[in-house]
Amino acid sequence: MFLVPVNRNVSDFTRSLERLFDESLGAWGGDNQNAQSAMRSPALDVSETDKSYTVKLDMPGVPKEAVKIAIDGRRINVDAEVRKDKEKKEGERVIYRERSFSRFSRSFTLPEEISQSDSSASMDHGVLTLSLAKRQAKGATHLTVS
């Protein structure tokens, strides 16, 4: 299997350290746009059969209407943005807010081109499942020498 991750080069440990520094160096005392708009790269599983690939991505809290999937030959891009309304109760002051905005993005390349018309996507309990049909090779053609 040949799978080239494009946006997944940061390890979980590195992401944890970045988040720790983001939280401790400026998120206190108001809205911190960098902490709120941090892009998440969802984990994925890829399996294949002779005719298709199945890709599963963890995207908790993302409604299916927010997911955008682009297929360009062998390259797949999955993006989603979720904005939560700022709930504010009377007499309450928000000290720190991290859950108001989430952005998910993942790009990867598969070994074979994908037929977009024969592919499908579904979302169930925070897991996006892509059924990506492999583009069938056209039969051999003959070229006449003139």
Side-chain angles (χ1 to χ4, degrees):
M1 167 104 193
F2 173 79
L3 180 68
V4 180
V6 176
N7 263 351
R8 189 79 174 174
N9 56 3
V10 179
S11 71
D12 290 334
F13 177 71
T14 304
R15 258 186 279 155
S16 297
L17 283 177
E18 288 174 359
R19 185 171 179 176
L20 174 70
F21 284 108
D22 286 344
E23 288 177 353
S24 61
L25 292 179
W28 291 98
D31 288 340
N32 181 354
Q33 190 64 14
N34 290 335
Q36 290 183 4
S37 63
M39 188 180 335
R40 298 178 185 181
S41 180
L44 72 92
D45 295 331
V46 180
S47 59
E48 80 173 307
T49 64
D50 291 338
K51 297 184 179 189
S52 68
Y53 296 102
T54 300
V55 181
K56 294 185 179 189
L57 294 100
D58 291 337
M59 301 182 81
V62 177
K64 65 181 180 180
E65 297 81 19
V67 178
K68 294 180 177 120
I69 303 163
I71 299 173
D72 184 17
R74 298 178 1 195
R75 187 176 175 100
I76 313 299
N77 296 313
V78 179
D79 292 303
E81 285 187 5
V82 178
R83 296 182 188 272
K84 304 223 188 307
D85 294 332
K86 295 184 178 185
E87 306 166 357
K88 196 168 187 181
K89 297 178 184 174
E90 190 174 328
E92 183 177 58
R93 182 172 56 104
V94 176
I95 296 172
Y96 177 74
R97 176 169 308 202
E98 183 174 297
R99 300 180 321 118
S100 63
F101 179 77
S102 296
R103 183 168 180 219
F104 293 85
S105 183
R106 187 70 192 259
S107 297
F108 53 94
T109 302
L110 295 169
E112 295 182 41
E113 289 196 8
I114 302 302
S115 171
Q116 187 169 353
S117 60
D118 298 329
S119 298
S120 64
S122 64
M123 179 77 86
D124 188 35
H125 299 292
V127 178
L128 176 65
T129 302
L130 305 175
S131 297
L132 305 170
K134 295 178 182 178
R135 182 170 286 158
Q136 299 300 319
K138 296 179 180 174
T141 59
H142 298 281
L143 182 64
T144 306
V145 178
S146 56

